[in-house]
Amino acid sequence: MDNQYGTLSEATNALQKKGYELDFTFKPEAIVCKAINKTYEPEDFHIDEFHRFEGMSNPDDMSVVYAVTTVDGNKGMLIDAYGAYSSLSQKMIQKIRIH
């Protein structure tokens, strides 16, 4: 997906306005939302869109925001570093590579 936002902050604000209000975090085999105390396996969520950002002064300073909808209708965002430092399982990597 082409990045239509200039900053990570612009992207998160716009996604919140679209209803992506929950905060999810990656675990090696799943995503977790502490606010609703739920864990979702890769088959239990869909990545609706994503946007990548690269630091202005350091190309290693990259991040990505994912807009996620779960099978039970919860919508939120995942924000993660982008690059070689991931500790995700192969199953999770395949899920986010679909896009």
Side-chain angles (χ1 to χ4, degrees), residues 40-77:
Y40 297 95
E41 302 295 320
E43 58 274 3
D44 296 332
F45 69 91
H46 177 73
I47 297 172
D48 300 321
E49 61 184 271
F50 71 94
H51 305 278
R52 289 186 216 165
F53 299 91
E54 187 172 305
M56 296 295 275
S57 61
N58 185 352
D60 291 335
D61 199 15
M62 296 187 295
S63 61
V64 61
V65 59
Y66 298 94
V68 174
T69 301
T70 65
V71 293
D72 56 358
N74 290 309
K75 293 174 76 171
M77 289 178 271

Side-chain angles (χ1 to χ4, degrees), residues 26 45 47 50 64 66 78 80 82 86 88 91-99:
F26 278 119
F45 69 91
I47 297 172
F50 71 94
V64 61
Y66 298 94
L78 281 158
D80 197 25
Y82 184 77
S86 177
L88 299 176
K91 191 174 181 180
M92 287 295 288
I93 290 170
Q94 289 173 346
K95 177 69 176 188
I96 63 176
R97 282 190 180 165
I98 290 171
H99 303 280

